[in-house]
């Protein structure tokens, strides 16, 4: 069962393993103290884990406000990056010290409690560092990453439409623009301040990606394995410019696995319990759909096929009715909450094709282990990705594929392995379907974004493959190497040794988290507009006037842009693909038509 880990004690907490020469302890144990009784309550531990994870993320982000550097020069940026690492080390090392101490000295119960809290805190700190880095990058300006250009400008315009009472038409998920409008009205002065609200939400939402990823995986996995999936996924996929979108993908897959697991268990629950559980999960799905719907499109084909294989058709009429009641409750609740967007998609979906092409559109569609945005810098389509050693595949790709083989080969009975494999297959087919029709339909249809969900599925399968291999290896060792004369409770590999190894691996994940978060933050440090790197978004935020008409403190130009307040309007569709990142003379070779401009393409 995925909620249990073979390498940890299951059931009641055991005392530390008896050392050689120590007398056996009496069977009678003292009555538990009041504190131990409280700590044995499951709901309290869950609440503590949530609070620690969220508190670590937001607390670290607030702490980063005290880093006083000039983010517009490289020396200041490096000092800021170093201060971020210093802060997270001061906070994280004591946590790891306590974890290691309980692994060596504490009881099983105490170590399990400490480990789940430490893992939750590490997940929060991982993306707290990223959010803190954005605080540093935007120090001195209230404007958001992206300023008044690109996707952030569209979000601000949508929020302005809400604030002016017009609402938003089209098929874009309305929840995040509506939240920007609400925050602008509550925190600032309403219309004209949506950019300031987006600035705040970019930071807050970035910080919460780690806790949301970790806690969603905790529905299915024990702390270490949840951390091992959540931290790399959160750090890798987090885009502070649009932090709301990728978090939906990260939490959607474990929630789908949880849905299928609960469907399989529905026969043992009462109808009332099934309706309540289904309605609760459906409300989450509906809210996520309004938050960002794109990942539902890519996950739906595989998840729909898997549903028909997992539904208990042959378990008898009572089991079928209860499973149907549970799934129906999920779908009805999600449908009611997501109805406004579903209606718009059905009404206007065919009228709003995606025709925006960028570097990810021009490269080999078979490459799914890396992403590059339309901030390409000096990289051109024929320079990326760099070819690996084995048929173009890198060592990382080969190791990941090996882990996927372990997951599918050893863990196919695992519900989450099936879910990740199904989503992977569905997104893979959808990717190549849209890519193969791109020239004929003159539409991109966001197919490069399947790179993220495919890579995420591969990561999930690889981690679960390692988990299943550890479980099977541990079981085989105990069955094979335990002497026939040994007591049933005797273990070949002592629990203390396993605890110590597990604690060491948590430390390794923490080290990766700090290094990976610093890599992520460094990409968003302000860079000059001529470089066309991801740091351009922060540079633009420093180049817009404040409400008082003055430039921000670290503005790169003395003559800043005026703050422009616009309402959202749908662009007119010209029926042709727009090839970004391509100079005019290369348009015929890349885009298949003459460029509609004379100089370098702009967004």
């Amino acid at each position: 069962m995925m909620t249990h880990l073979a390498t940890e004690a299951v059931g009641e907490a055991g005392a530390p393993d008896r050392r050689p020469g120590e007398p056996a302890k009496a069977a009678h144990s003292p009555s538990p103290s009041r504190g131990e009784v409280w700590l044995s309550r499951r709901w309290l531990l869950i609440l503590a884990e949530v609070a620690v994870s969220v508190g670590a993320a937001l607390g670290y982000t607030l702490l980063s406000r005290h880093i006083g550097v000039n983010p517009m020069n490289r020396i200041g940026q490096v000092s800021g990056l170093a201060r971020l690492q210093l802060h997270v080390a001061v906070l994280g090392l004591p946590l790891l010290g306590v974890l290691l101490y309980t692994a060596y000295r504490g009881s099983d119960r105490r170590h399990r409690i400490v480990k789940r809290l430490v893992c939750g805190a590490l997940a929060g700190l991982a993306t707290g560092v990223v959010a803190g880095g954005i605080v540093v990058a935007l120090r001195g300006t209230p404007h958001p990453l992206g300023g008044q250009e690109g996707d952030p400008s569209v979000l601000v315009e949508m929020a302005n439409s809400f604030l002016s009472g017009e609402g938003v038409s089209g098929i874009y998920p309305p929840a995040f623009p509506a939240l920007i409008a609400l925050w602008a009205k509550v925190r600032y002065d309403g219309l004209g301040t949506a950019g300031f609200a987006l600035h705040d939400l970019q930071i807050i939402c970035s910080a919460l990606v780690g806790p949301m990823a970790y806690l969603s995986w905790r529905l299915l996995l024990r702390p270490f394995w949840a951390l091992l999936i959540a931290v790399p996924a959160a750090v890798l996929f987090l885009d502070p410019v649009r932090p709301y979108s990728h978090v939906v993908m990260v939490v959607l897959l474990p929630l789908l696995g949880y849905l299928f697991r609960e469907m399989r268990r529905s026969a043992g629950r009462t109808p009332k319990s099934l309706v309540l559980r289904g309605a609760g999960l459906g409300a989450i799905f509906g809210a996520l759909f309004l938050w960002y719907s794109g990942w539902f499109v890519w996950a739906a084909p595989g998840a729909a096929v898997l549903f028909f294989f997992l539904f208990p058709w042959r378990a008898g009429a009572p089991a079928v009715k209860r499973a149907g009641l549970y799934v129906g409750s999920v779908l009805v609740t999600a449908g009611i909450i997501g109805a406004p967007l579903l209606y718009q998609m059905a009404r206007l979906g065919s009228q709003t094709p995606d025709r925006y092409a960028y570097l990810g559109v021009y490269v080999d569609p078979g490459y799914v282990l890396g992403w590059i945005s339309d901030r390409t810098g000096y990289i051109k389509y024929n320079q990326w990705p760099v070819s690996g050693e084995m048929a173009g595949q890198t060592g990382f790709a080969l190791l990941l594929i090996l882990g996927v083989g372990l997951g599918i080969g050893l863990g196919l009975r695992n519900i989450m392995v099936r879910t990740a494999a199904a989503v992977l297959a569905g997104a893979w087919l959808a990717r190549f379907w849209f890519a193969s029709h791109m020239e004929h339909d003159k539409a991109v249809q966001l197919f490069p974004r399947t790179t993220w969900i495919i890579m995420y599925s591969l990561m999930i399968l690889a981690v679960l493959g390692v988990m299943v291999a550890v479980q099977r290896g541990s079981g085989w060792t105990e069955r094979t190497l335990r002497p026939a004369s040994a007591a049933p409770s005797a273990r070949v590999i002592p629990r203390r040794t396993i605890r110590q190894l597990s604690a060491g691996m948590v430390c390794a994940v923490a080290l990766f988290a700090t290094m990976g978060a610093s890599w992520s933050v460094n990409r968003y440090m302000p860079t000059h507009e001529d470089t066309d790197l991801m740091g351009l978004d922060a540079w633009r935020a420093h180049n817009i006037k404040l409400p008082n008409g003055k430039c921000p403190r670290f503005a790169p130009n003395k003559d800043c842009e005026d703050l422009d307040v616009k309402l959202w309007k749908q662009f007119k569709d010209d029926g042709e693909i727009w090839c970004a990142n391509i100079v005019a003379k290369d348009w015929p070779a890349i885009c298949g038509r003459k460029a509609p401009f004379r100089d370098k393409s702009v967004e």
Side-chain angles (χ1 to χ4, degrees), residues 354-371:
D354 169 44
R355 305 193 191 277
Y356 184 73
Y358 48 94
L359 188 64
V361 177
Y362 315 137
V363 300
D364 174 17
Y367 179 73
V368 294
L369 295 181
W371 169 262

Side-chain angles (χ1 to χ4, degrees), residues 292-562:
Y292 193 79
S293 58
W295 307 115
F296 286 82
V297 176
W298 305 121
V305 173
L306 182 63
F307 165 79
F308 287 103
F309 280 96
L310 295 180
F311 193 83
W313 303 103
R314 300 181 180 180
V320 170
K321 290 180 180 179
R322 296 201 175 191
L325 180 63
Y326 176 70
V327 174
S329 300
V330 173
L331 294 178
V332 169
T333 308
I336 292 174
I337 294 176
L341 182 56
L342 288 170
Y343 171 74
Q344 290 291 83
M345 294 176 70
R347 187 171 68 92
L348 302 173
S350 60
Q351 301 177 24
T352 54
D354 169 44
R355 305 193 191 277
Y356 184 73
Y358 48 94
L359 188 64
V361 177
Y362 315 137
V363 300
D364 174 17
Y367 179 73
V368 294
L369 295 181
W371 169 262
I372 191 166
S373 70
D374 52 0
R375 298 276 183 266
T376 59
Y378 305 106
I379 300 176
K380 297 182 179 180
Y381 76 94
N382 55 355
Q383 299 172 331
W384 187 87
V386 177
S387 181
E389 305 85 355
M390 182 69 175
Q393 308 307 308
T394 63
F396 165 74
L398 296 177
L399 287 174
L400 188 65
I401 292 171
L402 176 62
V404 171
L406 288 175
I408 295 177
L410 298 178
L412 197 55
R413 293 183 180 275
N414 188 305
I415 198 72
M416 196 59 229
V417 170
R418 297 183 185 183
T419 302
V423 170
L424 169 64
W428 187 274
L429 293 173
R431 174 187 182 88
F432 292 106
W433 168 265
F434 287 116
S436 64
H437 286 74
M438 180 170 55
E439 183 184 26
H440 179 270
D441 297 341
K442 299 186 183 302
V444 177
Q445 299 305 92
L446 300 176
F447 86 82
R449 297 194 182 187
T450 57
T451 299
W452 284 311
I453 197 167
I454 289 173
M455 188 175 181
Y456 186 36
S457 298
L458 292 172
M459 292 167 58
I460 293 169
L461 289 172
V463 172
L464 295 182
V466 174
M467 185 188 77
V468 174
V470 169
Q471 290 176 337
R472 293 224 182 164
S474 176
W476 180 87
T477 300
E478 294 297 328
R479 292 192 304 270
T480 305
L481 301 182
R482 179 189 298 158
S485 59
S489 60
R491 294 179 63 89
V492 175
I493 304 176
R495 284 198 177 98
R496 181 182 297 276
T497 300
I498 296 173
R499 282 163 32 191
Q500 294 165 359
L501 177 60
S502 176
M505 296 306 297
V506 171
C507 293
V509 175
L511 179 59
F512 168 83
T514 58
M515 296 169 65
S518 188
W519 161 83
S520 180
V521 169
N522 185 52
R523 298 180 300 160
Y524 293 96
M525 287 297 169
T527 55
H528 193 269
E529 59 181 341
D530 293 337
T531 59
D532 196 28
L533 296 169
M534 297 177 76
L536 176 59
D537 288 315
W539 188 93
R540 287 173 170 172
H542 286 274
N543 198 41
I544 306 172
K545 289 180 180 179
L546 303 174
N548 60 11
K550 296 181 180 180
C551 291
R553 178 180 176 184
F554 304 108
N557 300 320
K558 294 182 179 180
D559 185 18
C560 300
E561 298 177 6
D562 291 326

Side-chain angles (χ1 to χ4, degrees), residues 35-58:
E36 291 175 333
V37 171
W38 271 95
L39 290 176
S40 65
R41 298 185 180 185
R42 185 168 178 267
W43 66 267
L44 181 62
L45 291 175
I46 294 173
L47 183 62
E49 196 169 3
V50 173
V52 166
S53 189
V54 174
L58 297 180

